[in-house]
Amino acid sequence: MGGWLGNALQQLPQGLLFLFIMLLGLHFFMVDGAQLERWVVRQSPFPAEATHGILEQVKETCARTLLSSVLVSFTQSAILLVGFLVAGIPAPLVWFTVALLMAFIPI
């Protein structure tokens, strides 16, 4: 197989494996998150209060980064939607949705 379709099909099993591992890890972080946090506090060379402060800052940073990614993606897609409507492109909401999903893919 040649071309981009052949490459995509060759990389599909690896991508699915990575997706499975990520979802499995996410599941256990969600289920055992408090236990993981206690373990990190015990293993940290810093005092427990300092470690809790660091973990809180990490949580806040992650939440703000996710929120800003969502806002930027939505804004980009909304601008595209206006352009699609002005240009008269068929099915602008479909393309808006595609743009919104593609905006989350890092390049």
Side-chain angles (χ1 to χ4, degrees):
M1 282 190 195
W4 67 269
L5 180 60
N7 290 337
L9 290 176
Q10 284 179 335
Q11 294 180 3
L12 183 64
Q14 181 181 6
L16 290 174
L17 176 66
F18 288 158
L19 178 65
F20 174 75
I21 291 170
M22 182 203 59
L23 292 175
L24 188 66
L26 180 63
H27 167 74
F28 285 107
F29 282 134
M30 297 294 273
V31 170
D32 296 329
Q35 183 179 355
L36 177 64
E37 186 174 342
R38 286 191 300 272
W39 180 83
V40 168
V41 169
R42 283 194 314 269
Q43 300 301 317
S44 174
F46 303 113
E49 294 172 4
T51 304
H52 282 294
I54 292 169
L55 291 174
E56 282 303 314
Q57 286 180 350
V58 169
K59 287 178 190 177
E60 289 177 15
T61 301
C62 290
R64 289 179 182 162
T65 301
L66 181 60
L67 178 63
S68 65
S69 294
V70 169
L71 291 175
V72 167
S73 299
F74 186 78
T75 303
Q76 287 176 343
S77 301
I79 292 169
L80 280 172
L81 177 62
V82 170
F84 293 152
L85 291 171
V86 168
I89 294 177
L93 290 177
V94 171
W95 292 113
F96 167 80
T97 305
V98 169
L100 185 63
L101 295 174
M102 295 298 285
F104 283 103
I105 298 175
I107 52 173

